[in-house]
Amino acid sequence: MGAARTSDRRRRRAVPWVVLGLWIAVLALTSPFASKLADVQRDRAVDYLPASADSTQVAKIQDRLPGGETTQMVVVYHRDAGLTEADKATAADQIAEIAGSHRLTGEPVGVPSKDGTTLMYPVASNEPGIDEKARDELVNDVRDVARGGDGLNVEVGGEGALATDAAEVYNSLDGPLLYTTVAVVALLLIIIYRSPFLWLVPLFVAGVANYLSMGVAYGLNQWFGTSVSGQSSGIMTILVFGAGTDYALLLVARYREELRRIERPYEAMVAALKGCGPAVLASSGTVAAGLLCLLAADLNSSRGMGPLGTVGVLCALVAMLTLLPAVLVLLGRRVFWPLIPRYGSTPKARRSLFAAMGSSAGRRPRTVLVGGALLLGALALGTLNLPGAIKQEDSFTSKPDAVAAMETLGRAYPERSTQPITVITPADRAETTLADIRGTQGVDSAEQGRTGGGWAEISVIAKDAPQSAGETTTIEDLRDKLDGSYVGGPSAEQIDLKDTNARDRLIVVPIVLVSVLLILIALLRSVVAPLILVAAVVAVWGAALGIGGLVFGPVFGYEGTDPGLGLLSFVFLVALGVDYGIFLMHRMREESLNGAEPVTAALTALRTTGGVIASAGLVLAATFAVLTNMPMVQLVELGFVIAVGVLLDTFLVRTYLVTSASVALRRKVWWPGALSKEPADPVPPKEPERVTAAAH
């Protein structure tokens, strides 16, 4: 018997080392792929669009035309007091130098403004082809040549310059986003754990999980063609650290509890995994299922975010349920210093905030429910104040050179568009199509461009400003009129983005709701409880979006919202909100199965999990709030709505409304499951028992 026990102890001591060794092997295998993720990141507007969109077809055909994709730029010369002859000579010399250094599609011709303050030179080149790096080099070379001084302002704008500025912003996100996220999570963990060492462990494990997720994401791109954008890779990083830290908080809290009851760390960790493992698995599975519903989206950026977000959540889950336990067991109780949980001790009994909140919800549950519902409904009215779809030039929180150029053009040339619309038509119908375009209301001019592969390219200038209501009408009229042709370009891409997002909302939202509801029904063995959780997170989404409507324009000064904000914020808030609901309901169900009365079970669940859920909610909200410090309006808006929604869910819905609903409905909350029925012989609640090493 003694030999068997000795062998068993050795096996248990070896398990954490084996797990650690396996992780080292996994990281060694994925390391070559993780470093390549940035290389496959694509952030052109056309890369976000579905293959069926007119804009996508235009871009694909342009790639096959002689010279490949054309980079469109506009070099803008401006002097407030009016351009001098010397200014015009400087502009002509610089444009000639650009034309001599690069292969342009035509000779640039200057277009002066009516007031004489501005001169613009449209510059187009197919020299880079579809290579984004070469495009950026071309734009930067043009900017190096086109320089002003002594009151002469020179700016380079246009589609190509705007794409280069956007790429520079997205490429700069990875470092600051990662460092800021790590710093925020580290600070919160130090505050939560009040230990100089413990916070390092989950943070280290989250970093390992993030590195693994980058390797897996690169594999998905190579093997299945999953699109990777700056937005989706950034969200994946935030999910790894946010969701991963949440799982760590739940596991560490349960592990600390078990260390007071069980002598050896290995056995305590096994008990902790058995206790909270099912809830963590269920919650992460629900989040993953919700995110995977984005595969039904037609928009490439949304469809790609589903798998990448799922990869982030699952990598965090695997790391927190394997690597984290192994490291904690190897470090022993001392990792909790100075608040070491002693074997056989009991924590100090304190009147917790969540016990007080539970008591208030328990006394007047219906009043709390009605009051909370009215508050969320009032906040949701703010959605009526959301600004319209954002324009490309308004997508940056700071003003890059390309945006400044477009603003200058808008003031100097109010009577015409400065951004071409591209029409691709069959080559044998080019003349007819050109005549039809020139006869379309809203068109200022149209010129035929390249021909090849059976297609012809026509550049169209509208009478109205870019992305204005008038230009939008012109684009729609061209699409209706030109049968068999494709209408694209920057403004058309924005129209396609908006239309595709509207279609995706109608498809993806019901799929997410049904999927999450069915998973919750299977997990909780109830219909009523899942309906409460889903209704609660939908209300939170509406309220968070409403708060966004109250601050985006009036406070932040944003001119528009990303067309995908509603869909993406809905998917994340529903999936992540239900995540916390599972933590609470799982403990409530556990208490009920142990014989507790419905009201007692609800209040006990809130008292025991409230602190962990609050900590997890703060961490997750803080990680998404990191996006509000990024230089893209779309990221700021998404981060703000999700962070606010998580805080509402954590401190209002989860603590007050769900608890109040459970108290008000009592056993009916578990209908039609077995827990909804009154027990024939009430079972006394189980008392926790102390487990010694000898018992194992």
Side-chain angles (χ1 to χ4, degrees), residues 106-123:
E107 182 180 350
V109 177
V111 181
S113 63
K114 290 182 179 179
D115 61 6
T117 63
T118 309
L119 179 64
M120 72 167 178
Y121 279 90
V123 176

Side-chain angles (χ1 to χ4, degrees), residues 387-408:
I390 196 167
K391 297 180 180 179
Q392 278 183 304
E393 62 263 32
D394 297 326
S395 297
F396 304 88
T397 56
S398 58
K399 190 183 295 183
D401 191 46
V403 172
M406 294 174 72
E407 290 180 351
T408 301

Side-chain angles (χ1 to χ4, degrees), residues 189-208:
L189 287 176
I190 291 172
I191 295 172
I192 292 167
Y193 285 141
R194 292 173 292 170
S195 167
F197 307 114
L198 181 57
W199 64 275
L200 286 167
V201 180
L203 194 62
F204 163 75
V205 174
V208 171

